[in-house]
Amino acid sequence: MNVAKSGYRVFSANSSVACTELAKKITERLGVELGKSVVFQESNRETRVDVKESVRGQTIFIIQTIPRDVNTAIMELLVMAYALKTSCAKNIIGVIPYFPYSKQCKMRKRGSIVSKLLASMLAKAGLTHIITMDLHQKEIQGFFSFPVDNLRASPFLIQYIQEEIPDYRNAIIVAKSPSAAKRAQSYAERLRLGLAVIHGEAQCSESDMADGRHSPPCVRNTTGHTGLELPPGKQQAPFPGIELPMMMAKEKPPITVVGDVGGRIAIIVDDIIDDVGDFVAAAEILKERGAYKIYIMATHGLLSADAPRLIEESAIDEVVVTNTVPHEVQKLQCPKIKTVDVSMILAEAIRRIHNGESMAYLFRNITVDD
């Protein structure tokens, strides 16, 4: 289908061949050709983009999958979006299945909310809309000054459970921490299965990291501002009769499993699987409690560092992820890793947005808590 018939173009902003596979699947489903462009890194590691065809007055979709080199992928997307903007494209819509820096969406000590910074950069580069999938926190959508469609991978993963896991009716959905219980509950209710939660962790979870704006003071006695400058390292004396209460430190309980997993198939669900240490530890606990098979289901399979080796050597029987992130190398290293294709819903989202159709069909039966 040529541009005259379709009215839009689809480009890939990746310089890596492995990262263009999802873009090719999406364009095949849409019946359009991938736009002609060249994205490459110069000898000094600068990103260069050359768009090889006219985009004036057209709606452009940029598909960008995020490989291990996250920062390069971001620059490729920004440079291509700006190139299309300066080439007079009418609308520039980013298709970013895995949104990078999504875990850095809260203030940590004297850090920054990087996902908000990235949202501002994308808007400045020329994007007018993005399509993504399973944001780490749904509130990230509020960082953007333009529309965000946050698609869900759960229908595909639930279908995999029903079709590929024998005797899934004897399974139980497991949240590896209390913070993941809401997602696990959604799976359990849709599959009509029980729910278990692992409580107690060996290390601090993300939700326990200190917030620099609201964290309790390091010392018990603190005072208000008096306008006097003190030398570094000196504590200001409290006002007479003023003593603020000190926050009690948290203490993790011993690891326990809330729910009966004995003689059951345990299915751990999450949005991202990157550093697999927590998943491996959870699998060992579930094995000790009597689970005879353990599956991991996640939308984004980053699988960094030694993740394939750790999975292969662990009690985990299978790790199922979608193709939002390229992981073919990891699959060669670990046959336990399986892939679910989500190009269908991404292609349908592109088609509906271009035709001005409602997106409600893609969110049917999806609730606020999902």
Side-chain angles (χ1 to χ4, degrees):
M1 183 183 295
N2 59 32
V3 66
K5 293 182 180 180
S6 68
Y8 66 95
R9 301 295 289 168
V10 180
F11 287 86
S12 172
N14 288 112
S15 59
S16 169
V17 175
C19 295
T20 61
E21 291 302 316
L22 181 60
K24 291 177 181 177
K25 289 183 178 181
I26 291 173
T27 52
E28 286 173 4
R29 290 184 180 276
L30 290 169
V32 300
E33 295 180 357
L34 200 59
K36 296 179 175 62
S37 64
V38 177
V39 183
F40 62 97
Q41 311 300 316
E42 295 188 341
S43 57
N44 62 357
R45 303 302 297 165
E46 288 185 359
T47 298
R48 181 176 291 274
V49 172
D50 290 328
V51 179
K52 298 296 186 180
E53 56 188 287
S54 174
V55 296
R56 183 178 294 273
Q58 297 174 27
T59 296
I60 306 297
F61 293 86
I62 308 174
I63 301 174
Q64 180 71 329
T65 51
I66 307 297
R68 288 190 179 185
D69 191 353
V70 176
N71 296 329
T72 296
I74 291 171
M75 280 304 302
E76 290 171 348
L77 176 59
L78 292 171
V79 174
M80 172 161 278
Y82 192 68
L84 294 167
K85 177 183 177 181
T86 54
S87 298
C88 300
K90 182 180 179 182
N91 294 304
I92 304 170
I93 301 170
V95 183
I96 315 169
Y98 166 64
F99 190 76
Y101 286 99
S102 59
K103 285 190 175 183
Q104 297 189 49
C105 60
K106 298 178 182 179
M107 181 65 76
R108 305 297 186 199
K109 295 186 179 179
R110 295 176 181 83
S112 60
I113 306 176
V114 183
S115 55
K116 186 179 190 310
L117 170 64
L118 182 54
S120 301
M121 292 167 65
L122 292 173
K124 192 69 175 176
L127 288 183
T128 58
H129 190 156
I130 70 165
I131 303 168
T132 187
M133 181 167 281
D134 282 337
L135 286 169
H136 186 58
Q137 298 287 343
K138 293 188 289 295
E139 293 77 9
I140 292 174
Q141 295 173 83
F143 295 157
F144 292 86
S145 58
F146 50 75
V148 177
D149 286 307
N150 182 28
L151 304 177
R152 304 296 196 276
S154 52
F156 296 90
L157 296 174
I158 288 172
Q159 183 181 36
Y160 183 94
I161 292 171
Q162 293 173 323
E163 296 178 356
E164 302 296 333
I165 298 181
D167 195 24
Y168 83 92
R169 291 290 182 186
N170 188 38
I172 186 167
I173 305 298
V174 179
K176 69 178 179 67
S177 66
S179 61
K182 190 173 289 187
R183 181 184 301 272
Q185 181 183 358
S186 174
Y187 276 75
E189 290 175 351
R190 281 169 167 73
L191 290 164
R192 285 33 171 196
L193 299 176
L195 175 66
V197 179
I198 298 175
H199 182 46
E201 301 176 41
Q203 58 184 8
C204 291
S205 66
E206 180 189 352
S207 60
D208 291 332
M209 294 182 184
D211 184 327
R213 299 169 301 167
H214 301 97
S215 56
C218 297
V219 294
R220 180 169 182 144
N221 292 329
T222 59
T223 65
H225 177 65
T226 64
L228 299 177
E229 296 294 333
L230 295 178
K234 294 291 184 179
Q235 295 288 343
Q236 194 170 28
F239 286 121
I242 297 295
E243 188 172 293
L244 299 178
M246 185 174 67
M247 181 72 76
M248 296 276 302
K250 289 185 178 181
E251 185 175 334
K252 291 284 185 180
I255 295 180
T256 57
V257 179
V258 181
D260 182 17
V261 298
R264 313 284 287 278
I265 300 171
I267 304 176
I268 303 174
V269 298
D270 213 336
D271 62 328
I272 299 172
I273 177 168
D274 187 4
D275 180 6
V276 300
D278 288 348
F279 292 93
V280 171
E284 292 175 356
I285 294 294
L286 293 171
K287 277 288 186 183
E288 291 174 4
R289 298 297 192 275
Y292 69 92
K293 270 196 174 182
I294 298 168
Y295 290 81
I296 309 291
M297 314 290 293
T299 303
H300 310 296
L302 306 186
L303 302 169
S304 301
D306 291 333
R309 178 182 61 81
L310 294 173
I311 292 170
E312 186 67 24
E313 296 172 356
S314 72
I316 299 169
D317 292 281
E318 196 167 282
V319 173
V320 183
V321 295
T322 72
N323 57 345
T324 56
V325 176
H327 52 264
E328 293 304 316
V329 174
Q330 290 90 327
K331 287 180 69 174
L332 294 175
Q333 297 171 342
C334 177
K336 291 182 180 180
I337 300 172
K338 309 296 181 184
T339 307
V340 174
D341 181 24
V342 292
S343 62
M344 180 189 302
I345 192 171
L346 294 169
E348 181 63 13
I350 290 173
R351 189 191 69 79
R352 285 175 175 270
I353 288 173
H354 171 65
N355 293 333
E357 299 177 21
S358 170
M359 297 287 282
Y361 177 77
L362 303 183
F363 294 95
R364 64 194 187 284
N365 297 326
I366 299 293
T367 65
V368 175
D369 293 332
D370 288 332

